[in-house]
Structures are given as structure tokens and as C-alpha cells.
Amino acid sequence: MTDNMTPASFFAENGYLVLRSFLPEPLLSVAHIYALKMQAQGKMDDGDEHVPGTPCLYGDPLMDTLLDCVVPDIERGLGMKLFQNYSYFRIYQNGDKLVRHVDRGASEIAMTLTLGFDANEAWPIFVETADGQSHKQLLAPGDTMVYRGCERPHW
């Protein structure tokens, strides 16, 4: 984001916005540990069409509650009112690849939030802007990328 742009104007122009250190401790650690426990206890689904075989879960009560907590901050950052729809999380494994895609209609405004990882570096997420350029983002634990999920291809 350039110095003379507000987060809302950057989002309007580019269709995505990265917010660093968005989710604070201890909420970040609670969500991360919870996600890992859900996986360890076998309480997650076995993947979807975007990342087959990767543990994922739709509409989890804790993740829905986390979404409830962060939506007002996202709304302030984007300068728009959002309709909260659903939560969905994955636990990516070594070698996983998220295929390039756009989201279904219910994900008009989507967010990717890194809860944590056990690797030497952050797992990259890419987003394509309207001019066809791809932008690689490395999200540290607590960072989020908000994007126009139905319009901006991401992978």
C-alpha cells in the first residue's frame, strides 16, 4: 500500500488488502491450538476440490465466533458494511497447493487469516488484480488478506 492511500482506497483500487498483526494474542494462539486439536481429534473433513486431502472445516462454532469478533474491524478498514456469511478453515500440509480459483457467490468479500505454521517461512498466497498482475503475500501468524473472492483469482 502506498503512503498516500487509505486502506479503503487501496482495497477499492486493487481488490485486496493485507492487514499485518490483525489478530492479537492471546486470541491468535487460542485459535491456532484449537485448529490443531480439531485436526488431531479427527473432527475435520478430508479436503475439498481446491486442496484435496487437506483437513478443512466449514461453519465451526469457534471460527464463526472469531469471525463475529473481527468483522467490525474489517468493515472499518474497508469503509463498507459486510454481511457475515460463513467461516471455513484448512490446515495445510507440507506440499499442499491451493489451485488458482475464484470463490462462490457467498464469498464476495473473503479473508485469509494465518493462525500459525510449523515451517521455515510463511506459506505464500497469491492474488491477481484487475490488470492481470499477480501479487505474492507472505502472511505471518495474525496477518490477514481481505479480497474480493468472487472477482480476484487467488491461489
Side-chain angles (χ1 to χ4, degrees), residues 17 28 32-33 40 46 60 85 90 92 102 110 122-123 147 150:
L17 177 66
L28 176 61
H32 183 219
I33 292 166
D46 292 327
D60 176 77
N85 217 342
R90 286 189 188 99
Y92 292 100
V102 293
W123 187 75
Y147 49 97
C150 303

Side-chain angles (χ1 to χ4, degrees), residues 1-2 5-18 137:
M1 185 165 53
T2 60
M5 295 185 89
T6 66
S9 64
F10 183 90
F11 181 81
E13 183 175 314
N14 295 285
Y16 79 96
L17 177 66
V18 174
Q137 300 297 326

Side-chain angles (χ1 to χ4, degrees), residues 29-51:
S29 290
V30 168
H32 183 219
I33 292 166
Y34 173 84
L36 294 175
K37 284 187 177 200
M38 291 294 285
Q39 177 192 19
Q41 294 174 7
K43 295 182 178 179
M44 298 179 71
D45 297 330
D46 292 327
D48 59 29
E49 70 275 10
H50 299 302
V51 192

Side-chain angles (χ1 to χ4, degrees), residues 33-86:
I33 292 166
Y34 173 84
L36 294 175
K37 284 187 177 200
M38 291 294 285
Q39 177 192 19
Q41 294 174 7
K43 295 182 178 179
M44 298 179 71
D45 297 330
D46 292 327
D48 59 29
E49 70 275 10
H50 299 302
V51 192
T54 296
C56 58
L57 194 56
Y58 174 87
D60 176 77
L62 180 65
M63 297 303 176
D64 282 348
T65 302
L66 178 61
L67 191 56
D68 289 340
C69 293
V70 302
V71 163
D73 292 331
I74 297 291
E75 289 175 333
R76 277 190 293 282
L78 300 182
M80 65 175 67
K81 181 74 176 146
L82 300 176
F83 177 77
Q84 183 178 323
N85 217 342
Y86 68 94

